[in-house]
Amino acid sequence: MAVTELTPDHLKPLLAPLHERRFVVALSGGLDSVVLLELMQRLRSEGVIARLSALHVNHQLSPNALDWEQHCRALCERWQVPLETVPVTLDARGANLEEQAREARYEAMAQHCGANDCFLLAHHQQDQAETLLYRLVRGSGARGLGSIPRRRQLGAGELLRPLLDHSRSQLLDYGKSRDLRWVEDESNRSLRFDRNYLRHRVLPAFRQRWPDIDSRLARQAQRMAGDAELLDQLAALDLAASQVSSPDAWLSGYPMLSWQPLREQSPSRQRNLLRFWLRQLGVAVPGEALCEQLLALANSRVDANPCVQWQGWEINRYRGVLVVHKRFAPPGESGTFFLREGDLALVNNGQLRVRQASLQKHRLCTDLGPLRIGYRCDGFEPERIKLAGRRGSKSYKKLMQEQGVPPWLRDRWPLLICGTELVAVPSIGVLEGFSAPSEEEGFELVWQVPKWGGSD
């Protein structure tokens, strides 16, 4: 329940146990953050906290931006609080300027948040109410309607919001009683922005009918956060029953999900698991329409190998398992080279490990001269492949199927070529006629597949 008067004592239960950590106030210069900084410097003077600093993000959008930055600097000098300023550049003509600014702020904070740091934001009860309504209009689910969390991870440290239980009127009363000075962002009055529309047009009308609407919405957000926690717990159980690993070396480390345990469950439960799985991996969670495509992919025929792509990510289904990875850039030209022991970096395509070996039965001979890497996606695909020591020949597709190579890797599998002839398929075998004699050393070739996150 909200208290009637704001004092530093109200912050002590949350902050006192974290005494030894560095607290960093996200300081905009407005009422909310100025009140929070003043409260924190009073707690520092009482010895409740030991280290305090501030971070100001200059969005460089307003003609008054430099004045706001100077105001923050003057406050911090007055209270002897170290201040760091970070300029960010936004596209003022781009879509959703609100979201651009928010992402830039959080990115700046995450970059400056060390392992022992707590970043403090001055969000209050009215912010919570606005966020709940904003996300409700946007069609968010239970997790989104949980609105603003009191604490969460930020970069290597933590983000805290110690004023969430307090109303803006309490912050205003406190600021006036302490004779504080703050700046007013003129953009906060513009109805161009959705949150401002809710703040100036929608919520005032609600308050006339229900004076306690802010606290009501804040409580509802807490309930939704509890519901979202229960959904996450259910998803964690489903994930534990569904996670699998690949026996194939080229998919080692790729996140995989067996869909069989959930095939008979409701679409809501399936959807809940998919979103939870992707969040746990740090993958951008797709919107509702794409989520339905993912469900259709997961529940498709066992022998189908479809995929869904979004925001640089891709989920493939292969042999009844879902595999997620960053969308790979097309492999580039490697040029000609002479084979020698070591690791050969392939352009946008992992690396080729070359090792001298004498014990393996079929090794590539060492005196082939200049070689190059070819790819099926570039049009190189031999009609038939006859591997040394094996009966008969096979098509490229049949060979890859037998080796358990998923379709999305087949086009980018590196093929070692001498002149116009294929001499080896790394990690799979050497072609007939290109094996090293049994009494000589030869080369063992292993392709290290690009990492699932898209970097090598």
Side-chain angles (χ1 to χ4, degrees), residues 93-135:
R93 295 172 299 179
N96 204 338
L97 197 57
E98 283 182 293
E99 194 63 27
Q100 283 189 61
R102 179 185 179 279
E103 290 178 359
R105 286 195 300 274
Y106 279 92
E107 182 177 353
M109 289 189 293
Q111 290 176 350
H112 289 78
C113 190
N116 202 38
D117 291 347
C118 287
F119 262 71
L120 302 180
L121 270 66
H123 290 119
H124 48 72
Q125 195 175 77
Q126 184 173 316
D127 293 320
Q128 186 74 287
E130 289 173 4
T131 300
L132 176 62
L133 288 179
Y134 178 66
R135 293 181 178 174

Side-chain angles (χ1 to χ4, degrees), residues 207-222:
R207 292 188 187 104
Q208 288 183 355
R209 179 77 177 188
W210 302 286
D212 63 342
I213 188 64
D214 291 325
S215 60
R216 288 192 188 193
L217 292 175
R219 287 194 298 273
Q220 184 61 31
Q222 290 178 347

Side-chain angles (χ1 to χ4, degrees), residues 115-167:
N116 202 38
D117 291 347
C118 287
F119 262 71
L120 302 180
L121 270 66
H123 290 119
H124 48 72
Q125 195 175 77
Q126 184 173 316
D127 293 320
Q128 186 74 287
E130 289 173 4
T131 300
L132 176 62
L133 288 179
Y134 178 66
R135 293 181 178 174
L136 183 63
V137 170
R138 292 183 64 185
S140 297
R143 184 177 182 83
L145 295 178
S147 298
I148 306 175
R150 188 178 304 277
R151 61 196 305 171
R152 69 170 177 82
Q153 183 178 348
L154 176 71
E158 188 176 19
L159 183 150
L160 300 178
R161 296 181 174 94
L163 300 179
L164 270 185
D165 292 333
H166 299 271
S167 68

Side-chain angles (χ1 to χ4, degrees), residues 232-450:
D232 282 351
Q233 291 173 3
L234 175 62
L237 294 174
D238 289 337
L239 182 61
S242 304
Q243 279 186 309
V244 293
S245 57
S246 174
D248 302 316
W250 31 87
L251 287 180
S252 176
Y254 276 63
M256 296 183 176
L257 201 64
S258 171
W259 203 245
Q260 191 58 37
L262 279 195
R263 182 166 288 279
E264 302 303 321
Q265 298 294 344
S266 69
S268 296
R269 186 164 175 176
Q270 294 175 347
R271 194 179 299 112
N272 185 50
L273 172 59
L274 277 175
R275 288 173 170 158
F276 179 81
W277 181 48
L278 295 176
R279 285 200 308 270
Q280 294 295 104
L281 295 172
V283 174
V285 179
E288 185 175 352
L290 277 171
C291 219
E292 294 310 305
Q293 290 185 35
L294 286 176
L295 283 184
L297 175 149
N299 292 300
S300 59
R301 301 189 324 273
V302 174
D303 60 344
N305 300 315
C307 74
V308 173
Q309 299 174 343
W310 77 100
Q311 295 184 31
W313 292 96
E314 181 173 313
I315 285 186
N316 295 268
R317 179 183 174 123
Y318 181 61
R319 295 183 173 178
V321 172
L322 300 185
V323 184
V324 62
H325 60 85
K326 198 81 171 177
R327 289 186 66 186
F328 300 122
E333 292 285 342
S334 62
T336 59
F337 57 90
F338 289 89
L339 208 59
R340 58 176 60 90
E341 188 169 35
D343 294 336
L344 175 64
L346 305 179
V347 181
N348 297 331
N349 205 35
Q351 60 182 2
L352 183 64
R353 298 188 61 190
V354 183
R355 298 290 182 266
Q356 282 197 327
S358 57
L359 297 179
Q360 283 78 3
K361 190 171 183 180
H362 297 288
R363 298 149 292 119
L364 186 66
C365 56
T366 60
D367 57 353
L368 289 175
L371 303 167
R372 66 183 179 90
I373 297 292
Y375 298 102
R376 189 172 72 159
C377 60
D378 289 333
F380 181 84
E381 181 175 356
E383 291 185 6
R384 306 293 293 180
I385 297 176
K386 188 177 190 313
L387 297 178
R390 302 188 191 179
R391 292 183 178 179
S393 61
K394 293 180 173 64
S395 67
Y396 181 83
K397 180 179 179 180
K398 185 66 174 177
L399 177 65
M400 290 295 171
Q401 287 176 333
E402 289 184 354
Q403 295 295 319
V405 177
W408 65 92
L409 288 181
R410 294 173 192 171
D411 281 354
R412 63 187 309 117
W413 201 279
L415 304 173
L416 198 61
I417 302 168
C418 181
T420 59
E421 290 190 272
L422 177 66
V423 299
V425 182
S427 298
I428 294 179
V430 175
L431 269 75
E432 187 74 40
F434 295 97
S435 292
S438 58
E439 67 276 7
E440 296 179 10
E441 285 201 339
F443 287 125
E444 179 188 13
L445 308 176
V446 176
W447 180 42
Q448 292 190 312
V449 179

